[in-house]
Amino acid sequence: MTGPVHPTPDAISTLRPLPLTDLTFASDGFLGAWQRRNATRSLPYCIGQLDAAGALDNLRRVTGEADGEFQNMWFADSDVYKTLEAAAWQLGRSPDDAELRAFVDTTAALLAKAQGEDGYLNSYLTLVEPDQRWRKMHWSHELYCAGHLVQAAVAAARAGVGAEVVTVARRFADLIVERFSKVDDVDGHPEIETALVELYRVTGHRPYLDQAKRFVDLRGHGLLNDEHFGAAYLQDHVPVREADGVAGHVVRQLYLLAGVVDVAVETHDEELLAAARRLWDDAYGAKTYLTGAQGSRHRDEAFGDPYELPPDRAYGETCAAIAGFHWNWRMLLASGEARYGDEMEQALYNVIAGSTALDGTHFFYSNTLHLRTGHDGSHEDAPSGRLPWYSCSCCPPNLARLLASLSGYAVTADHSGLQVHLYAAGELRTTVDGVDVHVAVRTEYPWDGRVELTVTTPALITLALRIPSWATEARIDGQPVAAGDGYAEVRRDWSAGATVILDLPMPPRVVRPHPRIDAVRGCVALARGPLVYALEQADLPDGVTLEDVRIDPTAPIMTGRLPDVPRTLIAGGTVSPPASDELYSSGVDTEERGGPLAFTAIPYFLWGNRKPGPMRVWLPVAATR
Amino acid sequence: MTGPVHPTPDAISTLRPLPLTDLTFASDGFLGAWQRRNATRSLPYCIGQLDAAGALDNLRRVTGEADGEFQNMWFADSDVYKTLEAAAWQLGRSPDDAELRAFVDTTAALLAKAQGEDGYLNSYLTLVEPDQRWRKMHWSHELYCAGHLVQAAVAAARAGVGAEVVTVARRFADLIVERFSKVDDVDGHPEIETALVELYRVTGHRPYLDQAKRFVDLRGHGLLNDEHFGAAYLQDHVPVREADGVAGHVVRQLYLLAGVVDVAVETHDEELLAAARRLWDDAYGAKTYLTGAQGSRHRDEAFGDPYELPPDRAYGETCAAIAGFHWNWRMLLASGEARYGDEMEQALYNVIAGSTALDGTHFFYSNTLHLRTGHDGSHEDAPSGRLPWYSCSCCPPNLARLLASLSGYAVTADHSGLQVHLYAAGELRTTVDGVDVHVAVRTEYPWDGRVELTVTTPALITLALRIPSWATEARIDGQPVAAGDGYAEVRRDWSAGATVILDLPMPPRVVRPHPRIDAVRGCVALARGPLVYALEQADLPDGVTLEDVRIDPTAPIMTGRLPDVPRTLIAGGTVSPPASDELYSSGVDTEERGGPLAFTAIPYFLWGNRKPGPMRVWLPVAATR
């Protein structure tokens, strides 16, 4: 069963993804438990919300099965499609889930019934503005919704569930190709590009790929116009090949870049691939938060200027983090370079993990790195706690589809052997060049850096293990390997079976920002392994205000535990209250030197799971005496 | 000729404003030259833009004098009214200006013709949504526009020009009172409150005051609703009397607070006045930029959390700074406390002065304190240079009306004598308790702190001189006076005439932020007298990037000159480039110690008048070796 993103044999692809079902995460491991929570809590919850929020009813209104007016966002069909995609991946891995099968089957039937005779399918346009079809491309999200329909169909096809969805999606895709191969137009919200390439991969039907390439190349030529938001918001400000930095609406930019890489590798377009690398350097060199989040501006949901990374006003949309994960995966497959795996890991264990509450049914849309004392939390895009749903609820179903297919992103193969990118307890049964390989992985990663890989295969293959960029040292079977080289390779004949022990020591560490990140000048962050830590008001003694805590980065940092927190970090510093109430002063000292304090930080992804309250990732450094 | 804000004799009013025409700024002084530029450049330009942008045509469409569809923002009538108000103040001071008189007369005639038989006047509602009158109070701005019409009429009445405008405004105000005295409703954008109190002051018609009080008291009870923006944006989140902090859309909050003080002083409502003081403490204690700008968020044009004051993402709308100036003036009149005068001065010489280019015809809508290298300047609310006009161009006419009436805000009287709040070269001829007083002021303020006041009056009166909060020392006739006490009083018999010399030394100073302002941690700003200084890329040597400049706050700061800049500041520090390109690192040093640098800072209000480029007010402090 093929997973998400499966380049054709002819594509530029240094690494090859493994079938989704070849790797099973252990249910007591970190990723396995998370994936199980997704299957048992988040995904069923999302399915329920499709009814509660009216998204399914919109389609039923098209078929005449429901009354009333169109509800929810005009692009609410996409919530149905993303949830359907999640259900398809999940059902492919758990074919006996009758409830899930019923959801997939009834939804597929509904879509087939709602689809127009010509293949068109969009409940908002059909119900509310039927005469505006394809006429408001900057705003309508018609191709965006179509793209998610196609993605759901790709998942259904690869998982072998819901052939009816595939038929619906192909009919719509054929209509799109028929129209848009002749007129110069693109959608204000990218998504169709990557979707059409994936549909080409599933069907082998070349016009889908050609159309995707056409959509990529038509951007940046003034086809879209919106006075209020401007061209960058719509990803129409510059031809992709000429862009030298990421800009505009983050999710739109990143969805487009996933499509750009897909088109580039399938069409052997090195110029386009170089553009993607250039934009990656800009994004990850100057426009990414420590947690892997992206998007510095609530206004226009946008990337900011280089180094504009305010922790308190981080937009950091959950969908953007998922989109970044998708983009990095494509870059990793194309190049085999570890830095892409590093960024996948950083986002996964921090911003993405943090976006969902421990209960699996509350979510952040925007993922801040700093909640200030006095925050009013009034706006739903920056609440002081995770919310059960949003008026625009694109993120929860996006999480569901990522988690349902997560095992597809951990290990790849090439002609020489296997590459392990994400470490998780579990079991892999696959074939490399026709030879069976079995790998059992035991690890408590990300809480502990010891990873035991027991390999059995009647062949000489290379096991390449990603050495994360955070690691300052690494050992394989007790022997030091060079850190910072990307992958450590173990080439052996494994016919008798052998266990390789990768050890990635995880001493707590102090992270310093680039000096151009003005917003966190004079601050450091705490991290351990791939996990970024945060300090919550909830963990401070009574009477100590979060804003007054200063860290001494030279003091030793210890590890500890709390309920639900396997590893805390205990650091030292001071409590330094303001020396005066004056907002601006000409005096020399603005804060008291303060008394000593030891404080406990928890992993960022766990914040806000107790009582809501102030939190910060970046901690001001104590003044030296 | 009475100026803006003229409390009735019965009002709570510690200080009394002087007639607008009693004080004349010298045309070669700072404020006088600015006011002259407004009269000769900015105001005629705004009048021209009313035609160019279609605002006058909308009204002509109502009367049948123009064809075509409604243009511009739905509240564009307010641009006409604010410009008309500016013209009225200016014409009152320069009655021989024939062009201005023609504008006032023709506009008044147009308004009279456009007004409905029942007194209603709003071109958008009349032309576009006639059946929605008074039905979209959260959004329509009907009472906001009406408020500005009333303000224009108040100016016309006091200046003795355009009686027709007064008739139009009263007819509309009477309609408003008739309707809204019976239904519980308020406007999503405050303005009508202060306008109706002022109209009551002009006419003595009590129902206007009662209605204003009613509008103030109806807020915070859930009358307005907008799913997207929320209650605080519309100033409906809490009853004013119960509010303990400023919140929501800054301009709306501040316009409301002007009305709150007006209502409180006229109705002797101490509870309401206490609420205004509480909100002032919050606004100026935790939510104001060093330049006097307010509004930390582009999203929703809102105040942020306490101490959330990012210099790069400052919204700092020009209209908000003007509204804050208006609010402080009302607080000053009510209380006589110098801190309100301090904040008027701070905003006037920094954010307000900076909002207009030296040519008088280019404006900032949003006033940033930091433009980063790499800023794309793509959005019109945060451009990298002043623009000639905006799609929502509320700010330029607002500046025009403030400047046209500026001499009304500098000096007040009480039974004991005169109080000087703003220092400007000029001449005052007024009466205090029926006795003629003449004061000639000679000063180069704000470039120099020496102020010579030559007083002639056949009476014993007190001359109270505001000692600005920035002053660390002050002398009157060579004798030290206590700084920080607000006003220094000189009580004399002036019958022979006497000159008082106030000396406010202006050594360059280093300003430090409150330690809770995270966004400028580790930075200081430069200031001299009331002027905040800024460092522009344009003043750095070739090859030095603004971001790499570090200041040594212990090094001496000298003064200098540049073309168009009477006083620059020359400070010392280092050029400290990043030690690596890594966005986050576990190393200890993130920047090079760098080589020495002397650099020139210019007054903030002058930035962006040469070639556009990076600028910053807050300068990172050099690491100590």
Side-chain angles (χ1 to χ4, degrees):
Chain A
M1 171 187 163
T2 313
V5 194
H6 199 81
T8 61
D10 283 343
I12 298 174
S13 192
T14 304
L15 310 179
R16 297 276 164 187
L18 299 181
L20 185 59
T21 37
D22 283 9
L23 175 62
T24 310
F25 292 140
S27 65
D28 59 349
F30 188 95
L31 297 187
W34 185 6
Q35 197 174 46
R36 194 181 70 238
R37 187 186 71 195
N38 183 62
T40 59
R41 305 294 309 272
S42 305
L43 177 53
Y45 178 78
C46 286
I47 291 173
Q49 287 295 318
L50 293 182
D51 264 320
L56 281 168
D57 273 347
N58 290 330
L59 290 158
R60 293 186 190 119
R61 287 180 183 107
V62 174
T63 65
E65 293 161 78
D67 296 326
E69 297 205 342
F70 183 90
Q71 278 178 283
N72 211 297
M73 292 288 171
W74 67 100
F75 48 84
D77 287 357
S78 63
D79 291 347
V80 175
Y81 302 145
K82 281 192 284 192
T83 307
L84 184 61
E85 182 189 338
W89 295 128
Q90 185 63 31
L91 191 57
R93 291 174 34 248
S94 310
D96 300 332
D97 189 327
E99 273 187 55
L100 216 47
R101 187 166 297 273
F103 168 72
V104 170
D105 289 348
T106 57
T107 306
L110 175 63
L111 295 174
K113 205 168 162 196
Q115 186 165 40
E117 281 188 23
D118 60 354
Y120 186 80
L121 179 52
N122 183 297
S123 69
Y124 175 82
L125 270 290
T126 303
L127 293 168
V128 185
E129 302 195 48
D131 56 338
Q132 294 299 310
R133 183 189 289 191
W134 307 134
R135 289 194 178 175
K136 295 182 167 179
M137 297 298 292
H138 67 291
W139 175 85
S140 72
H141 288 55
E142 282 161 288
L143 292 179
Y144 166 81
C145 290
H148 279 301
L149 168 64
V150 168
Q151 294 277 36
V154 166
R158 289 179 178 158
V161 302
E164 205 167 5
V165 190
V166 184
T167 307
V168 170
R170 286 206 64 170
R171 286 186 61 209
F172 199 5
D174 290 341
L175 177 71
I176 289 165
V177 169
E178 189 194 325
R179 176 182 173 82
F180 290 95
S181 58
K182 293 173 198 142
V183 300
D184 288 354
D185 227 338
V186 293
D187 194 284
H189 199 313
E191 169 63 25
I192 190 70
E193 299 82 358
T194 185
L196 285 177
V197 179
E198 283 275 88
L199 189 59
Y200 158 70
R201 288 165 175 166
V202 165
T203 62
H205 187 60
R206 177 86 194 190
Y208 299 147
L209 175 61
D210 294 340
Q211 186 59 47
K213 175 173 156 49
R214 209 172 126 68
F215 281 140
V216 166
D217 282 331
L218 282 172
R219 291 195 176 266
H221 295 94
L223 291 173
L224 297 171
N225 191 24
D226 183 282
E227 215 175 273
H228 183 63
F229 288 111
Y233 182 88
L234 303 167
Q235 296 299 316
D236 194 34
H237 55 301
V238 65
V240 175
R241 293 169 197 278
E242 295 168 23
D244 50 19
V246 288
H249 188 285
V250 180
V251 171
R252 295 176 196 227
Q253 171 74 86
L254 297 177
Y255 279 11
L256 175 60
L257 282 165
V260 162
V261 180
D262 285 337
V263 166
V265 299
E266 294 295 347
T267 62
H268 288 248
D269 190 333
E270 292 287 356
E271 184 189 48
L272 207 50
L273 206 51
R277 276 195 299 270
R278 209 160 56 232
L279 295 187
W280 192 95
D281 287 344
D282 178 58
Y284 289 93
K287 295 174 182 170
T288 302
Y289 286 97
L290 182 59
T291 57
Q294 293 172 324
S296 305
R297 299 183 182 173
H298 284 252
R299 173 74 186 247
D300 296 349
E301 312 179 55
F303 280 109
D305 291 333
Y307 305 107
E308 178 189 320
L309 292 162
D312 52 345
R313 292 295 289 162
Y315 191 62
E317 188 183 332
T318 301
C319 283
I322 294 167
F325 188 89
H326 287 158
W327 179 31
N328 273 293
W329 174 244
R330 285 160 172 81
M331 298 295 278
L332 175 62
L333 291 181
S335 69
E337 292 173 24
R339 56 183 175 155
Y340 303 115
D342 288 342
E343 297 298 348
M344 289 171 65
E345 179 180 90
Q346 190 76 4
L348 185 65
Y349 285 112
N350 297 290
V351 57
I352 297 175
S355 67
T356 310
L358 286 175
D359 66 11
T361 59
H362 288 76
F363 309 92
F364 278 128
Y365 187 107
S366 170
N367 295 273
T368 190
L369 282 79
H370 180 189
L371 195 69
R372 197 175 261 111
T373 299
H375 180 76
D376 63 6
S378 60
H379 213 291
E380 76 158 14
D381 69 18
S384 49
R386 297 172 185 87
L387 299 182
W389 207 246
Y390 290 82
S391 57
C392 169
S393 232
C394 47
C395 302
N398 219 349
L399 285 161
R401 69 181 182 130
L402 175 70
L403 268 296
S405 58
L406 191 64
S407 50
Y409 296 98
V411 184
T412 55
D414 65 6
H415 60 90
S416 71
L418 295 172
Q419 301 80 39
V420 185
H421 310 288
L422 299 177
Y423 297 109
E427 202 167 357
L428 176 71
R429 290 182 189 279
T430 192
T431 57
V432 174
D433 271 353
V435 179
D436 288 339
V437 183
H438 176 251
V439 184
V441 182
R442 275 189 299 276
T443 182
E444 289 179 37
Y445 204 90
W447 302 115
D448 189 89
R450 182 182 167 95
V451 186
E452 292 182 24
L453 304 107
T454 303
V455 185
T456 318
T457 180
L460 183 80
I461 67 162
T462 300
L463 192 65
L465 304 173
R466 186 176 60 87
I467 307 301
S469 59
W470 54 259
T472 48
E473 57 171 325
R475 289 187 296 273
I476 289 181
D477 294 338
Q479 299 302 307
V481 296
D485 272 3
Y487 293 88
E489 300 194 341
V490 186
R491 184 163 181 82
R492 290 189 196 162
D493 181 337
W494 309 84
S495 21
T499 296
V500 173
I501 298 177
L502 170 67
D503 195 28
L504 299 166
M506 291 182 170
R509 65 188 194 280
V510 167
V511 180
R512 289 174 194 269
H514 191 285
R516 288 200 183 169
I517 310 179
D518 295 286
V520 294
R521 188 181 311 287
C523 294
V524 298
L526 295 173
R528 181 175 177 277
L531 298 177
V532 172
Y533 278 65
L535 179 54
E536 273 196 297
Q537 181 69 49
D539 289 314
L540 288 173
D542 288 347
V544 174
T545 303
L546 180 63
E547 275 75 7
D548 295 341
V549 174
R550 300 290 176 270
I551 186 171
D552 175 359
T554 65
I557 304 166
M558 326 290 268
T559 54
R561 268 167 202 280
L562 277 174
D564 286 333
V565 188
R567 290 285 186 294
T568 62
L569 296 183
I570 302 158
T574 62
V575 184
S576 302
S580 95
D581 286 341
E582 274 194 278
L583 199 51
Y584 306 104
S585 62
S586 302
V588 173
D589 281 324
T590 56
E591 67 187 38
E592 310 278 355
R593 285 300 155 87
L597 176 78
F599 56 86
T600 296
I602 64 165
Y604 168 78
F605 82 88
L606 287 171
W607 89 274
N609 273 293
R610 296 166 299 182
K611 61 180 177 185
M615 174 279 296
R616 60 189 304 161
V617 167
W618 291 100
L619 306 172
V621 171
T624 47
R625 278 157 201 275
Chain B
M1 171 188 162
T2 313
V5 193
H6 198 80
T8 62
D10 283 343
I12 299 173
S13 191
T14 304
L15 310 179
R16 298 277 163 186
L18 299 180
L20 185 59
T21 38
D22 283 8
L23 175 63
T24 309
F25 292 140
S27 65
D28 58 349
F30 187 94
L31 297 187
W34 186 4
Q35 198 174 46
R36 194 181 69 238
R37 187 186 71 195
N38 182 63
T40 59
R41 305 295 310 272
S42 306
L43 177 52
Y45 179 78
C46 287
I47 291 173
Q49 286 296 317
L50 294 181
D51 264 319
L56 281 168
D57 273 346
N58 290 330
L59 290 157
R60 293 186 190 117
R61 286 179 184 110
V62 174
T63 65
E65 294 162 77
D67 295 327
E69 297 205 341
F70 183 90
Q71 278 177 283
N72 211 294
M73 292 287 172
W74 66 100
F75 48 85
D77 287 357
S78 64
D79 290 348
V80 175
Y81 301 145
K82 280 191 285 191
T83 307
L84 184 60
E85 182 189 338
W89 295 128
Q90 185 64 33
L91 190 57
R93 291 174 35 250
S94 310
D96 299 332
D97 189 328
E99 273 188 55
L100 216 48
R101 186 167 297 273
F103 169 72
V104 169
D105 290 347
T106 56
T107 306
L110 175 62
L111 294 175
K113 205 169 162 193
Q115 187 166 38
E117 282 189 22
D118 59 355
Y120 186 82
L121 179 52
N122 183 298
S123 69
Y124 176 82
L125 270 291
T126 303
L127 293 169
V128 186
E129 302 194 48
D131 56 338
Q132 294 299 310
R133 183 188 289 192
W134 307 134
R135 289 194 177 175
K136 294 183 168 179
M137 297 299 291
H138 69 290
W139 175 85
S140 72
H141 289 53
E142 281 161 288
L143 292 179
Y144 166 82
C145 289
H148 278 301
L149 168 64
V150 168
Q151 295 277 35
V154 166
R158 289 178 179 159
V161 302
E164 205 168 4
V165 191
V166 184
T167 307
V168 170
R170 286 206 64 170
R171 286 185 62 209
F172 199 4
D174 290 341
L175 177 71
I176 288 166
V177 169
E178 189 194 326
R179 175 183 175 83
F180 290 95
S181 58
K182 293 175 197 138
V183 299
D184 289 354
D185 227 338
V186 293
D187 194 284
H189 199 312
E191 170 62 26
I192 190 69
E193 299 81 359
T194 185
L196 284 177
V197 179
E198 283 275 89
L199 189 60
Y200 157 70
R201 288 165 175 165
V202 165
T203 61
H205 188 57
R206 176 84 195 191
Y208 298 147
L209 175 61
D210 295 340
Q211 185 59 47
K213 175 173 155 49
R214 206 171 129 68
F215 281 141
V216 166
D217 282 331
L218 282 173
R219 290 194 177 266
H221 295 95
L223 291 173
L224 298 171
N225 191 24
D226 183 282
E227 215 174 273
H228 183 64
F229 288 112
Y233 182 89
L234 303 168
Q235 297 298 315
D236 194 34
H237 56 300
V238 65
V240 175
R241 292 168 197 280
E242 296 168 24
D244 51 18
V246 288
H249 189 284
V250 180
V251 171
R252 296 175 195 228
Q253 171 74 85
L254 297 176
Y255 279 11
L256 175 59
L257 282 165
V260 163
V261 180
D262 284 338
V263 167
V265 300
E266 294 295 347
T267 62
H268 289 246
D269 191 333
E270 292 287 355
E271 184 189 48
L272 207 50
L273 208 49
R277 275 195 299 271
R278 211 160 54 233
L279 295 188
W280 192 94
D281 287 344
D282 178 57
Y284 289 93
K287 296 173 182 170
T288 302
Y289 286 97
L290 181 59
T291 56
Q294 293 172 324
S296 306
R297 299 183 183 173
H298 285 252
R299 173 74 186 247
D300 297 349
E301 311 179 57
F303 280 110
D305 291 333
Y307 305 107
E308 178 189 319
L309 292 162
D312 51 345
R313 291 297 289 163
Y315 191 62
E317 188 182 331
T318 301
C319 283
I322 294 167
F325 189 89
H326 287 158
W327 179 31
N328 273 293
W329 175 243
R330 286 159 172 82
M331 299 294 279
L332 175 63
L333 291 181
S335 69
E337 293 173 24
R339 56 182 173 154
Y340 304 115
D342 287 341
E343 296 298 348
M344 289 169 65
E345 179 179 90
Q346 190 76 4
L348 185 65
Y349 285 112
N350 296 291
V351 58
I352 297 175
S355 67
T356 310
L358 287 174
D359 65 12
T361 59
H362 288 77
F363 310 92
F364 279 128
Y365 187 108
S366 170
N367 294 274
T368 190
L369 282 80
H370 180 189
L371 195 69
R372 197 176 261 109
T373 299
H375 179 75
D376 62 6
S378 60
H379 214 291
E380 76 157 12
D381 69 18
S384 50
R386 297 172 185 86
L387 298 183
W389 207 248
Y390 290 83
S391 58
C392 169
S393 229
C394 47
C395 301
N398 218 350
L399 285 161
R401 69 181 183 130
L402 174 70
L403 268 295
S405 59
L406 190 64
S407 50
Y409 296 98
V411 184
T412 56
D414 64 6
H415 60 89
S416 72
L418 295 173
Q419 301 80 39
V420 185
H421 310 288
L422 298 177
Y423 297 110
E427 201 167 356
L428 176 70
R429 291 181 188 278
T430 192
T431 58
V432 174
D433 272 353
V435 179
D436 289 340
V437 183
H438 176 251
V439 185
V441 183
R442 274 190 300 275
T443 182
E444 288 180 37
Y445 204 90
W447 302 115
D448 189 273
R450 181 183 168 94
V451 185
E452 292 183 23
L453 305 107
T454 304
V455 185
T456 319
T457 180
L460 182 80
I461 67 162
T462 300
L463 192 64
L465 304 173
R466 185 176 61 88
I467 308 301
S469 58
W470 54 258
T472 48
E473 59 171 323
R475 289 187 297 274
I476 289 180
D477 293 338
Q479 299 301 307
V481 296
D485 271 5
Y487 293 89
E489 300 194 340
V490 185
R491 185 164 181 80
R492 291 191 195 160
D493 181 337
W494 310 83
S495 12
T499 296
V500 173
I501 297 176
L502 169 67
D503 196 25
L504 299 166
M506 292 182 170
R509 63 188 195 281
V510 166
V511 180
R512 289 173 195 268
H514 190 287
R516 288 200 182 170
I517 309 179
D518 294 286
V520 293
R521 188 181 310 288
C523 293
V524 299
L526 295 173
R528 181 175 178 277
L531 298 178
V532 172
Y533 277 66
L535 179 54
E536 274 195 297
Q537 181 69 51
D539 289 314
L540 288 173
D542 288 348
V544 174
T545 303
L546 180 62
E547 276 74 8
D548 295 341
V549 174
R550 300 292 176 268
I551 186 172
D552 174 359
T554 66
I557 304 166
M558 326 290 267
T559 55
R561 267 167 203 279
L562 277 175
D564 285 334
V565 188
R567 289 287 186 293
T568 61
L569 296 183
I570 302 158
T574 61
V575 184
S576 302
S580 96
D581 286 342
E582 274 194 278
L583 198 51
Y584 306 105
S585 62
S586 303
V588 172
D589 281 323
T590 57
E591 67 188 38
E592 311 279 355
R593 286 299 155 90
L597 176 78
F599 56 86
T600 296
I602 64 165
Y604 168 78
F605 83 86
L606 288 171
W607 89 273
N609 273 293
R610 295 168 297 182
K611 62 180 176 184
M615 176 277 297
R616 59 189 305 162
V617 167
W618 291 100
L619 306 172
V621 171
T624 47
R625 278 158 201 274

